[in-house]
C-alpha cells in the first residue's frame, strides 16, 4: 500500500523554518491535522506540498463527468431549439389548414405537434436529470478544492482555493492538479 504525504513548511514561534511530514492516505484527516497544528501553534500562514494520487484520480473522473454533462446539455439545448422552430412551422401549417377547411392536414399537423410536445417534455426531464447530476459533480469538485485548501493555512490557503477555481474556469485540469499538489503553479 502506498502512502500519500503532505510536507508542511511553516515558521516556528522562534522564526526558524521547520519541515513536518505527515503520511496518511486520507486528505480529510491530513487537512484536520494541518488546521489543528496551525491553531495550536498560532501559525497564521502555512504552505504545503501534497501527494494524494487516489484523490486526484477521483477528481479526474468527476471532471470528466462534468465535461460529459456539459456536452449533453449543449446537445439537448440545440435539440430544443430545433424543436421550437419546427413547432412554429407546424402551428402555422395547422392554422392555414384550418382556414382552408382542410381538416385532414390540420389533424396531421396537430398530431405532429403533440409528438413534438411529448419529445420536448422528455427532453426537459432529461435536462433536469442532467442538471442535477452536473450540480452533484460540481459540488464534489468544490469540496475537493476546499480539501486542498485545508492543507494550507492563511494566505496560502486562500491562494490555493482561488488558483484552483481559476484553473477550472480556464479548463486547465493539469494546472489544477499541480496547484493541489504544490500550492501553486
Amino acid at each position: 500500500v502506498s502512502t500519500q504525504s503532505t510536507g508542511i513548511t511553516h515558521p516556528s514561534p522562534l522564526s526558524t523554518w521547520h519541515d513536518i511530514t505527515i503520511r496518511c492516505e486520507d486528505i480529510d484527516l491530513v487537512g484536520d491535522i494541518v488546521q489543528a497544528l496551525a491553531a495550536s501553534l498560532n501559525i497564521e500562514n502555512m504552505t504545503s506540498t501534497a501527494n494524494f494520487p487516489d484523490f486526484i484520480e477521483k477528481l479526474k473522473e468527476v471532471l470528466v463527468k462534468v465535461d460529459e454533462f456539459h456536452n449533453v446539455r449543449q446537445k439537448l439545448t440545440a435539440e430544443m431549439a430545433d424543436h421550437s422552430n419546427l413547432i412554429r412551422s407546424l402551428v402555422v401549417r395547422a392554422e392555414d389548414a384550418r382556414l382552408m377547411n382542410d381538416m385532414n392536414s390540420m389533424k396531421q399537423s396537430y398530431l405532429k405537434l403533440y409528438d413534438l410536445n411529448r419529445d420536448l417534455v422528455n427532453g426537459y426531464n432529461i435536462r433536469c436529470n442532467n442538471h442535477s447530476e452536473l450540480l452533484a459533480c460540481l459540488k464534489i469538485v468544490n469540496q475537493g478544492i476546499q480539501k486542498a485548501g485545508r492543507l494550507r493555512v492563511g494566505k496560502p490557503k486562500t491562494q490555493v482555493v482561488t488558483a484552483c477555481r481559476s484553473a477550472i474556469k480556464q479548463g486547465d485540469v493539469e494546472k489544477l492538479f499541480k496547484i493541489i499538489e504544490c500550492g501553486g503553479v
Side-chain angles (χ1 to χ4, degrees):
V1 174
S2 67
T3 59
Q4 290 74 33
S5 65
T6 295
I8 302 166
T9 306
H10 68 89
S12 75
L14 303 174
S15 298
T16 59
W17 288 91
H18 296 278
D19 288 340
I20 298 173
T21 301
I22 302 170
R23 295 194 186 277
C24 180
E25 300 210 9
D26 186 353
I27 191 170
D28 292 314
L29 179 60
V30 174
D32 291 343
I33 292 170
V34 167
Q35 295 302 310
L37 182 65
S40 66
L41 296 175
N42 293 324
I43 298 170
E44 293 179 12
N45 293 302
M46 184 185 325
T47 62
S48 67
T49 57
N51 182 18
F52 293 96
D54 293 340
F55 171 75
I56 295 294
E57 192 59 38
K58 289 176 185 174
L59 197 56
K60 278 182 187 178
E61 291 170 7
V62 171
L63 289 169
V64 166
K65 286 182 183 179
V66 166
D67 283 341
E68 290 171 359
F69 289 134
H70 277 300
N71 291 337
V72 168
R73 182 174 156 224
Q74 288 176 343
K75 179 183 169 197
L76 292 171
T77 301
E79 286 178 7
M80 184 180 69
D82 291 343
H83 280 91
S84 296
N85 291 331
L86 194 50
I87 285 172
R88 282 188 215 113
S89 171
L90 286 171
V91 168
V92 170
R93 281 190 212 162
E95 186 61 20
D96 287 346
R98 184 190 67 81
L99 291 173
M100 293 178 8
N101 210 18
D102 183 0
M103 295 304 148
N104 286 335
S105 293
M106 183 182 78
K107 183 178 178 181
Q108 291 300 318
S109 294
Y110 281 125
L111 287 173
K112 289 179 183 177
L113 274 170
Y114 177 80
D115 290 340
L116 276 176
N117 185 55
R118 187 182 53 222
D119 290 346
L120 279 173
V121 169
N122 289 337
Y124 172 78
N125 291 332
I126 292 169
R127 275 194 318 279
C128 284
N129 291 335
N130 183 64
H131 183 71
S132 296
E133 292 177 21
L134 174 62
L135 288 179
C137 286
L138 290 174
K139 182 178 179 181
I140 292 169
V141 171
N142 190 48
Q143 289 170 344
I145 291 171
Q146 294 302 320
K147 289 176 184 181
R150 286 185 51 78
L151 299 175
R152 286 88 183 173
V153 177
K155 191 173 181 180
K157 176 181 181 177
T158 305
Q159 290 171 337
V160 164
V161 171
T162 302
C164 284
R165 290 189 176 139
S166 176
I168 288 174
K169 283 181 185 176
Q170 296 169 2
D172 193 345
V173 177
E174 292 306 316
K175 182 178 177 181
L176 170 69
F177 299 141
K178 189 75 170 167
I179 293 166
I180 291 171
E181 183 179 317
C182 298
V185 181

